Amino acid sequence: QVQLVESGGGLVQPGGSLRLSCAASGSISTFNTMGWYRQAPGKQRELVAIITSSYSPAYANSVKGRFTISRTYAKNTVDLQMNSLKPEDTAVYYCHLGQVGSDYWGQGTQVTVSS
C-alpha cells in the first residue's frame, strides 16, 4: 500500500501563486509516475501535470507556462508550483502515484482562485 498526503491548498486572488506538496510513503516501487490532477465542481477529473524519472514533465495545455511540477526522488515527494492563477484553476487538486498494477490517490486539497 501507498499513502499520499497533500498540503498547500487555499484561497488566492487571481494572478497569485500557490505551491502544492505531496509526500508518498509505503510500498513504492523504483519505477513510477507521480502527478497532479484536479476536479472542478460538475466536471470530470483532469490531468494537470505528471513527472517520471525517464521523461520530461508533461502539462495540460491550460497550465503550460504557469505551473511547474518537480519531484524529490530521495524523499518521494512531488510539488506543484502554480503561478498566475486564474479563477478557472479553482478545483480540488489530487496527488497521484502510478506503478505497475496500482494507482494511488491523495485525499485532495482545495484551491480557490477568487477576488
Side-chain angles (χ1 to χ4, degrees):
Q1 281 290 344
V2 173
Q3 296 77 42
L4 302 173
V5 178
E6 302 130 333
S7 61
L11 172 64
V12 64
Q13 292 186 342
S17 298
L18 279 176
R19 187 176 184 89
L20 305 182
S21 296
C22 174
S25 61
S27 302
I28 301 169
S29 68
T30 303
F31 303 102
N32 58 64
T33 299
M34 291 191 77
W36 290 92
Y37 290 70
R38 68 186 181 187
Q39 187 167 17
K43 295 188 177 181
Q44 290 188 331
R45 190 174 297 187
E46 63 176 2
L47 173 69
V48 176
I50 57 173
I51 186 168
T52 73
S53 59
S54 302
Y55 302 99
S56 299
Y59 299 91
N61 288 334
S62 59
V63 307
K64 281 182 181 177
R66 300 188 298 122
F67 291 11
T68 302
I69 190 170
S70 59
R71 185 168 174 180
T72 302
Y73 288 90
K75 296 182 178 180
N76 287 316
T77 60
V78 62
D79 295 339
L80 185 69
Q81 177 65 42
M82 305 185 293
N83 298 328
S84 302
L85 282 160
K86 304 175 181 180
E88 50 263 43
D89 295 317
T90 295
V92 177
Y93 284 70
Y94 296 91
C95 179
H96 172 264
L97 185 148
Q99 54 193 28
V100 176
S102 300
D103 286 285
Y104 300 94
W105 296 92
Q107 79 281 3
T109 185
Q110 178 70 46
V111 172
T112 302
V113 184
S114 175
S115 55

